Amino acid sequence: MGMLTDHGLKLHGWIPEDYETMHNHGRGASVYAFRNWMMENIGIAPETKKIHNAPYKIVFSTASSSQQNRNMTFEKHAQLLEEKLGSKYNIVVIEVVLSQMSLEDQIELVSGGSIFITVCGGGALTAMFLPKGAALFAYFNEDDIYGTPARLDWDLLNNMGYIRSHWLPTRPGEHDFDAFVKLVDHELDVISHTNDV
């Protein structure tokens, strides 16, 4: 895992200088191979995890941080998806607290997901187990410790290559909720037309 650190020598995504260079550029295939190796080592067959068949699982990782400003519950997000997209797509919306699950159960759940929604930071790294073609929605604080946006782990999450990453603010207004639903709708449209056989 030496080369597959989430940020190399940078400060994790806290300061503007962290975004001047990338540490994991071009390593998507290596990350995917490492994902598969880890899954095989705990007894989950990675080749069985595909996303092109309904129902499409949308997994919300709630309360994923011990820091209050990054501890989201996503209740309104989940409700909006059920209301606005539940009749358009065959979806299953799942809200979990990953820290209360075993590692095997976390990987089993996320590796069968189509969309994973979480707050950036250590809890978001579970996104590594998403199947090819899935989407990650990582919420970040717009003004964290250093007064700048904190897109933690952006270097790894943006360069995984086999998923699509989206970054959204943790304090959404009504227009942000609308944009969120439209973005999930777009992702479900892409995913529902994916042929990953």
Side-chain angles (χ1 to χ4, degrees):
M1 182 71 179
M3 75 167 191
L4 298 175
T5 65
D6 56 352
H7 52 81
L9 298 175
K10 299 180 287 182
L11 262 182
H12 206 59
W14 291 110
I15 59 175
E17 291 79 17
D18 290 344
Y19 303 95
E20 291 175 359
T21 60
M22 285 189 280
H23 176 75
N24 288 299
H25 181 72
R27 294 184 176 158
S30 296
V31 175
Y32 191 68
F34 185 66
R35 165 211 187 258
N36 291 342
W37 177 83
M38 288 189 295
M39 289 176 68
E40 288 169 355
N41 276 282
I42 62 167
I44 299 173
E47 65 276 0
T48 65
K49 301 300 182 177
K50 300 185 182 211
I51 63 167
H52 67 277
N53 292 326
Y56 304 105
K57 290 183 194 169
I58 301 172
V59 179
F60 285 92
S61 171
T62 65
S64 65
S65 178
S66 60
Q67 296 191 0
Q68 192 58 38
N69 64 346
R70 281 191 273 142
N71 198 7
M72 291 181 67
T73 59
F74 297 111
E75 289 141 349
K76 184 168 183 177
H77 297 79
Q79 178 186 356
L80 284 170
L81 293 185
E82 293 277 10
E83 288 174 8
K84 307 271 185 183
L85 302 178
S87 61
K88 184 174 182 180
Y89 301 98
N90 182 0
I91 60 173
V92 175
V93 176
I94 303 166
E95 298 176 70
V96 296
V97 179
L98 291 176
S99 64
Q100 296 174 356
M101 300 171 66
S102 70
L103 179 62
E104 290 83 0
D105 289 344
Q106 290 180 43
I107 294 171
E108 186 70 44
L109 175 65
V110 173
S111 65
S114 299
I115 298 175
F116 182 56
I117 301 164
T118 188
V119 176
C120 66
L125 291 183
T126 308
M128 179 183 284
F129 296 102
L130 283 166
K132 231 178 236 188
L136 165 68
F137 288 60
Y139 278 80
F140 68 95
N141 285 328
E142 295 174 275
D143 56 348
D144 218 309
I145 294 173
Y146 295 95
T148 56
R151 293 186 255 341
L152 306 180
D153 303 312
W154 74 274
D155 193 304
L156 178 62
L157 298 175
N158 279 356
N159 288 299
M160 284 200 277
Y162 54 94
I163 66 167
R164 290 175 302 283
S165 299
H166 304 283
W167 296 86
L168 302 161
T170 55
R171 286 173 279 173
E174 285 308 311
H175 62 284
D176 294 309
F177 283 116
D178 185 52
F180 166 75
V181 170
K182 288 177 179 172
L183 189 54
V184 171
D185 186 8
H186 168 74
E187 282 297 339
L188 288 169
D189 183 54
V190 171
I191 289 166
S192 66
H193 290 94
T194 296
N195 182 3
D196 58 2
V197 178

